[in-house]
Amino acid sequence: MDLEGGTRRYSAKRESWRTVLTLAYQSLGVVYGDLSISPLYVFRSTFAEDIKHTESNDEVFGVLSLVFWTITLIPLVKYVFVVLKADDNGEGGTFALYSLLCRHARVSSLPNCQVADEELSEYKKDSRGAAPERSFALRLKSTFERHRVLQRVLLVLALIGTCMVIGDGILTPAISVFSAVSGLELSMSKETHAYVEVPASCIILIGLFALQHYGTHRVGFLFAPVIIVWLFCISTIGIYNIFHWNPHVYKALSPYYAFQLLRKTQKGGWMALGGILLCITGAEAMFADLGHFSQLSIKIAFTSVVYPSLILAYMGQAAYLSKHHDIEQDYHFGFYVSVPEKLRWPVLVIAILAAVVGSQAIITGTFSIIKQCSALSCFPRVKVIHTSSKIHGQIYIPEVNWLLMILCLAVTVCFRDTKRLGNASGLAVITVMLVTTCLMSLVIVLCWHQNVLLALGFVFVFGTIEALFFSASLIKFLQGAWVPIALALVFLTFMYVWHYGTLKKYEYDVQNKVSINWLLGLGPSIGIVRVRGVGLIHTELVSGIPVIFSHFVTNLPAFHEVLVFLCIKHVPVPHVRPDERFLVGRVGPKEFRLYRCIVRYGYRDVHKDDVEFENDLLCSIAEFIRTEKTGLSSSNDEPGKDDRMAVVGTCSTHSLLMSEDNVENVENVENAGPSELKEIKSPNVIKQQKKRVRFLVPESPKINTDAKKELEEVMEAREGGVAYIIGQTHLRAKPGSSMVKKIAINIVYEFLRRNSRSPSFVTGVPHASSLEVGMMYQV
C-alpha cells in the first residue's frame, strides 16, 4: 500500500468542501461518540453521594451551570479555538505536540538525528518564523537544549499523557456500555438486572473490539448515523422536557448558579466536580483523532451538531429533575427517568448503539498515539495495519486492540458500578487534558513565538479549571481512581524502559563503530573476497561502520560486490516527501562500491513492502551515481562525517526509472536488441509474480564512462540477488550495575524485545535472502 502522498492528499482534502462535509459526517461516528453519550451518566455520577437534590433546586441548577460552562470552556474554547491549531502538519495528539516542540527546540529523544533532517520541507512547515533575539522564547529554548533533565521531564510528561490515553481507551468503553445497559433497571427487578447487566455489557464490548479490523472509514460510515439519531433523540427529548416541565431552566446557564452551588455545598460540591468532569470525556479525541480527519471537519461537526445537542439534553434533564423530587433514589438521576415512558425502549436501544459508537473514539485515538510512540522509539514495535488507501492516518493495531478488550472486560466485571467506573475514567481524562495544557503553553512560546503572558494566561485559565477537576478526581483514589494510575505506571515503565534500552543500544553502536581506515586495510590482512550480488547491512548508525559488520567479516571473510549500509530511521515530522526520502553517500573509495543509504520516515508514514523498497533503494543509488558525475546532486554535508550525503528521491521522483513489468512480459524487452535499458529484478521467490525495474542511462556527454560502468556493475550485482544482513543484538547490564538497571535491561527490556515485532524492514525479508548476525552488548 503506497500512502506516501498522504500529506499532499491532506492538503487537497482541506480544499474540497464535499470532502470536508463527508469527513465531518464520519467524525460524528468516530470522534464525537464518547462526548455525545455523556448525558447517560453525568447527573447520576454527580449526585451519587456528594450532594443531594433539595426542594430549592439549587443543586440541579448549579450542576447544569457547571456542565454548561465546562463544555463551553474546555471542548469549545480550548480545543476548537486553540489546541486544534497546534496540529503537526495535520496530525494531533500528545505526541504530535511533543514532536512539534522537538523540532523547534532540539529536545528530541531520537538518537540518530542529523543536521540534514532539519532541511526537510516538512520540518518547519507552518512555522511562525524565527523568535526575536533576546526574547523569552529564545532563552527558554536554550535552557531546554542545555539541560538534559528538562528534556527527560518533557519526554516523561508526554509519556504520562500517552499512558492515560491508553487507560482511557480501557475505561471509556466500559463506562459507556455499562451506563447504556443500566437502562434495563427500569423494566425489570433489581435481582434480575444484577444478573443481566454485566454479561450484556461484556457481550457488547467483545463485539465492539471485534469490529475494529474493518477500519475507521468503514466504522465511521456505519456508526455516524447512530450518533446522528442519538443526538437528534436527546436534543428532541431535551426540548420536550424544557417546555413541558420548566421553560425557565435556561436561567441556570448563568455562572451565578455554579458559584451558589459551590458556596452552599462547599466540600460536597467540590467532590461532585468528579462527576461533572464526565461531561467532557471524549473531548481529547477531537485532537487525538485529528490525523484521521481534518481540522475544519472536526470544528464543523462540533459547533453545528454536537455542542447544541448536548446543551439541550442537559437542560432537559435539569428541567425534568427540577419538578421531580419524590422518585426512588436509586433511579432518580439516571438518564432514562427523564425519557417519556413510551419512548424508553426505543431510546434504550439507540443508547446502547450510541455507547458502542462512543467507545470507538478513544479506541481510534489509542491506535493513533501508540503508532506515533512506536515510531519515536517510545513503545515496543507492534503490527500496524493501514485500513484506508485514501486517509493516511486510519490504522488498526491487532495486539493493542485485544489487550484493550481484555483489560476493558476485566474492569467491567470487577467494578460492576457506574460510580467507580466514572471515578476511574474521569481521572484518566483530566490527566490527559492537563498534559495537553502544559505542552500547549510551551508550543505557544517556542513554536508560535507569542508573548509569554499569553502562554501564562492559557495555563492559568485552563490549568486552574483542570486542576480543580483533577483534585476532585484524585480524592476518590480508593473509589476507583487508582485504576488509571496503576495502568499508567505499568505502561509508563514499559515505555520508558524500551526507550532507555533503545538509547543504550545506539550509544554502544556509536562508541564501538569501526573507522574507514579499518575497512581500507582489511583486504590483504585476512583475505577478503567479494561475491556477486548486493548486500544490505541494516544499522541504526548514520555514520561510521557498525560493529556488527566487523564481527561478520571477521568470522566470514567475504562480502558482496555492492555493499549498502542501510539505516532506516524516523524523524520528528508526520511525513517525509518522496523526493526527500533517501540520503545516499559513499563509504570509502569509489572502486570499493560501498554505499550508505539513510531512509527517512515520518512517524505517520507507511513503510513499503520489500519489493517496492528494494526498487526504490536501488533507484536512489543509481540516481546518486548518475547525478554525482554530472554535479547535479544536492549535497548535505555534515562536519565530522566520513562521507558526503546527497538527497535522492524515490523512483517516482526522478527520470531514471522507465517502467515496471511482470516477469512474463520481460522477454519482449530482452529481445529488443542492444539498447541502454538495464533491468533490476525483484527478489521475490520463484512462482511469485516478479517485477523488474528498468533503468535508462541517458546518452549524455555529462555522464562519463566511469559512471556508466558503475551503474552497470550495480545493476549486474542486483541481478545476482539481494542479501539482507541483519544484526540480532542482546543487551545485558554491565557487571557492577545497579539492581534497578539490571532489572530494567536484563528482564524488562529483554522481555519486551522478545515479544515485540521485528522492524518493518526485517519483517518482509524472504528467509532465503536473510543472514542474521548475533552479538551481545553490555551497556
Side-chain angles (χ1 to χ4, degrees):
M1 184 184 299
D2 182 8
L3 302 182
E4 280 185 329
T7 306
R8 293 195 300 273
R9 280 193 289 270
Y10 173 74
S11 300
K13 176 181 66 181
R14 286 189 303 179
E15 297 171 2
S16 169
W17 272 103
R18 181 179 179 181
T19 305
V20 167
L21 293 177
T22 302
L23 290 172
Y25 167 78
Q26 284 185 295
S27 71
L28 290 171
V30 177
V31 177
Y32 293 112
D34 187 14
L35 193 60
S36 299
I37 60 171
S38 56
L40 285 173
Y41 43 76
V42 168
F43 274 93
R44 186 165 190 167
S45 298
T46 304
F47 285 94
E49 60 181 25
D50 301 313
I51 55 177
K52 303 299 180 184
H53 182 25
T54 62
E55 294 289 339
S56 65
N57 288 325
D58 289 342
E59 293 80 9
V60 168
F61 293 156
V63 168
L64 174 61
S65 180
L66 284 170
V67 167
F68 171 76
W69 287 105
T70 301
I71 295 176
T72 302
L73 291 175
I74 304 295
L76 183 62
V77 178
K78 177 185 172 182
Y79 281 94
V80 170
F81 292 123
V82 183
V83 175
L84 285 180
K85 294 181 179 179
D87 65 303
D88 186 11
N89 296 322
E91 306 299 332
T94 305
F95 251 79
L97 291 177
Y98 177 70
S99 172
L100 213 56
L101 292 170
C102 286
R103 299 207 305 273
H104 287 79
R106 291 189 183 178
V107 294
S108 175
S109 58
L110 294 175
N112 48 8
C113 295
Q114 296 171 279
V115 176
D117 297 339
E118 299 181 14
E119 301 301 322
L120 291 169
S121 57
E122 295 287 331
Y123 202 86
K124 289 190 176 180
K125 186 178 178 181
D126 298 330
S127 176
R128 310 278 175 116
E133 292 186 10
R134 298 182 180 179
S135 66
F136 179 81
L138 216 56
R139 294 197 300 271
L140 183 62
K141 175 184 174 182
S142 62
T143 301
F144 270 102
E145 291 175 348
R146 285 197 315 267
H147 297 87
R148 296 286 297 175
V149 174
L150 292 179
Q151 296 176 22
R152 291 194 186 98
V153 168
L154 196 63
L155 174 63
V156 169
L157 189 65
L159 291 180
I160 289 173
T162 302
C163 294
M164 285 298 182
V165 169
I166 298 172
D168 197 20
I170 296 166
L171 295 165
T172 294
I175 187 174
S176 301
V177 174
F178 197 86
S179 299
V181 174
S182 66
L184 295 171
E185 65 190 358
L186 295 176
S187 57
M188 60 180 65
S189 64
K190 289 184 179 180
E191 293 76 13
T192 306
H193 180 256
Y195 288 104
V196 170
E197 191 173 31
V198 174
S201 300
C202 291
I203 292 171
I204 293 171
L205 288 170
I206 292 172
L208 168 66
F209 285 101
L211 279 174
Q212 296 304 311
H213 73 279
Y214 288 107
T216 305
H217 62 295
R218 294 187 181 92
V219 170
F221 269 112
L222 177 67
F223 284 172
V226 175
I227 291 299
I228 290 174
V229 172
W230 168 251
L231 290 173
F232 175 78
C233 179
I234 62 174
S235 57
T236 303
I237 293 172
I239 293 172
Y240 168 80
N241 284 332
I242 291 170
F243 285 99
H244 187 266
W245 298 110
N246 192 346
H248 300 289
V249 74
Y250 68 90
K251 295 180 180 179
L253 300 181
S254 168
Y256 167 80
Y257 288 90
F259 289 115
Q260 277 290 97
L261 171 67
L262 295 175
R263 187 180 64 83
K264 179 179 179 180
T265 57
Q266 297 182 358
K267 183 180 178 181
W270 167 64
M271 293 183 68
L273 291 176
I276 293 168
L277 164 65
L278 297 177
C279 72
I280 53 173
T281 56
E284 183 67 25
M286 296 167 65
F287 189 46
D289 290 341
L290 186 57
H292 294 245
F293 302 99
S294 69
Q295 190 180 129
L296 184 58
S297 64
I298 288 178
K299 288 181 177 180
I300 289 174
F302 181 77
T303 54
S304 62
V305 179
V306 179
Y307 179 75
S309 298
L310 287 177
I311 299 303
L312 288 172
Y314 285 116
M315 288 176 66
Q317 281 186 269
Y320 179 88
L321 293 174
S322 67
K323 300 299 181 180
H324 295 80
H325 301 85
D326 55 350
I327 304 175
E328 187 180 346
Q329 187 63 31
D330 288 346
Y331 302 153
H332 192 166
F333 298 99
F335 167 77
Y336 295 99
V337 295
S338 63
V339 177
E341 190 171 351
K342 293 182 180 179
L343 298 178
R344 280 179 184 169
W345 274 105
V347 170
L348 173 63
V349 173
I350 297 172
I352 292 174
L353 293 174
V356 172
V357 177
S359 306
Q360 179 63 40
I362 193 62
I363 295 172
T364 303
T366 303
F367 291 159
S368 298
I369 204 165
I370 286 178
K371 167 68 166 59
Q372 296 175 21
C373 291
S374 181
L376 297 177
S377 302
C378 292
F379 197 89
R381 291 181 294 268
V382 290
K383 182 179 181 180
V384 177
I385 298 173
H386 293 262
T387 58
S388 173
S389 59
K390 295 181 180 179
I391 308 300
H392 60 270
Q394 297 186 355
I395 60 174
Y396 166 67
I397 305 177
E399 296 98 327
V400 174
N401 183 63
W402 301 124
L403 178 63
L404 291 178
M405 187 191 76
I406 292 169
L407 293 175
C408 184
L409 292 174
V411 169
T412 304
V413 172
C414 293
F415 275 176
R416 300 169 175 252
D417 178 39
T418 305
K419 175 190 168 186
R420 287 185 292 174
L421 284 171
N423 293 338
S425 179
L427 183 62
V429 168
I430 200 61
T431 305
V432 176
M433 291 182 176
L434 271 172
V435 170
T436 300
T437 299
C438 295
L439 294 178
M440 191 64 213
S441 64
L442 294 175
V443 168
I444 291 172
V445 176
L446 295 175
C447 305
W448 294 355
H449 308 309
Q450 298 295 320
N451 193 299
V452 65
L453 294 178
L454 186 63
L456 291 176
F458 181 85
V459 172
F460 176 77
V461 174
F462 297 108
T464 302
I465 295 171
E466 290 162 359
L468 282 172
F469 283 123
F470 180 80
S471 62
S473 297
L474 194 61
I475 202 70
K476 298 177 180 179
F477 181 84
L478 297 177
Q479 286 78 45
W482 61 271
V483 172
I485 296 176
L487 290 171
L489 285 175
V490 172
F491 282 111
L492 181 63
T493 300
F494 286 162
M495 293 168 73
Y496 194 82
V497 167
W498 179 262
H499 182 70
Y500 176 76
T502 303
L503 288 181
K504 286 298 179 183
K505 178 185 171 187
Y506 182 78
E507 289 172 5
Y508 183 93
D509 283 333
V510 171
Q511 293 166 4
N512 292 275
K513 66 182 179 181
V514 294
S515 67
I516 189 66
N517 295 327
W518 172 85
L519 186 62
L520 293 175
L522 192 59
S525 61
I526 57 174
I528 292 292
V529 296
R530 304 293 291 270
V531 298
R532 188 168 182 250
V534 178
L536 300 182
I537 300 176
H538 185 242
T539 176
E540 299 295 329
L541 295 177
V542 294
S543 64
I545 298 171
V547 66
I548 202 81
F549 178 66
S550 65
H551 181 70
F552 167 72
V553 171
T554 304
N555 290 275
L556 184 64
F559 56 86
H560 298 80
E561 58 184 337
V562 173
L563 197 66
V564 182
F565 293 101
L566 178 64
C567 173
I568 300 176
K569 70 173 191 175
H570 287 85
V571 290
V573 295
H575 305 281
V576 176
R577 288 170 49 183
D579 58 346
E580 298 174 327
R581 174 83 68 215
F582 293 92
L583 273 176
V584 184
R586 294 186 184 276
V587 179
K590 292 183 180 179
E591 59 269 18
F592 274 43
R593 304 296 187 249
L594 302 181
Y595 307 93
R596 183 183 311 284
C597 187
I598 300 172
V599 189
R600 301 178 291 185
Y601 288 98
Y603 58 78
R604 283 282 196 173
D605 276 330
V606 182
H607 293 210
K608 292 186 173 183
D609 59 36
D610 61 307
V611 177
E612 283 189 278
F613 180 78
E614 276 185 21
N615 291 339
D616 280 347
L617 179 63
L618 270 295
C619 277
S620 66
I621 293 174
E623 178 72 2
F624 168 75
I625 295 169
R626 186 179 71 86
T627 56
E628 183 189 38
K629 288 296 182 181
T630 59
L632 298 175
S633 62
S634 57
S635 179
N636 287 301
D637 299 336
E638 296 182 41
K641 286 190 65 173
D642 57 6
D643 47 9
R644 293 162 61 90
M645 307 294 290
V647 176
V648 182
T650 58
C651 288
S652 60
T653 63
H654 48 69
S655 59
L656 196 63
L657 177 68
M658 286 292 291
S659 65
E660 291 184 356
D661 290 315
N662 294 333
V663 166
E664 292 78 7
N665 300 327
V666 169
E667 288 75 8
N668 295 332
V669 178
E670 291 177 341
N671 297 328
S675 69
E676 295 298 330
L677 289 175
K678 296 291 181 179
E679 296 173 340
I680 289 186
K681 301 175 184 176
S682 85
N684 278 26
V685 185
I686 299 174
K687 294 184 180 180
Q688 290 182 346
Q689 191 180 53
K690 300 181 182 178
K691 291 182 180 179
R692 292 182 177 183
V693 179
R694 298 181 290 160
F695 293 115
L696 173 65
V697 182
E699 290 290 349
S700 171
K702 294 182 180 180
I703 300 182
N704 59 30
T705 307
D706 291 339
K708 290 184 179 181
K709 181 181 178 182
E710 187 175 359
L711 283 170
E712 289 174 358
E713 288 181 8
V714 170
M715 293 182 232
E716 288 172 3
R718 175 65 178 82
E719 296 212 5
V722 176
Y724 298 79
I725 302 170
I726 303 161
Q728 289 291 349
T729 55
H730 302 269
L731 294 190
R732 282 291 181 270
K734 291 179 180 178
S737 300
S738 66
M739 183 59 66
V740 174
K741 184 175 181 180
K742 287 181 178 179
I743 293 173
I745 296 295
N746 297 351
I747 300 176
V748 180
Y749 180 81
E750 183 63 16
F751 170 79
L752 294 174
R753 187 192 67 81
R754 289 179 179 274
N755 290 278
S756 65
R757 295 265 177 173
S758 299
S760 57
F761 163 75
V762 177
T763 305
V765 174
H767 291 293
S769 303
S770 63
L771 176 63
E772 294 187 358
V773 182
M775 282 194 70
M776 181 72 72
Y777 288 3
Q778 287 193 337
V779 296

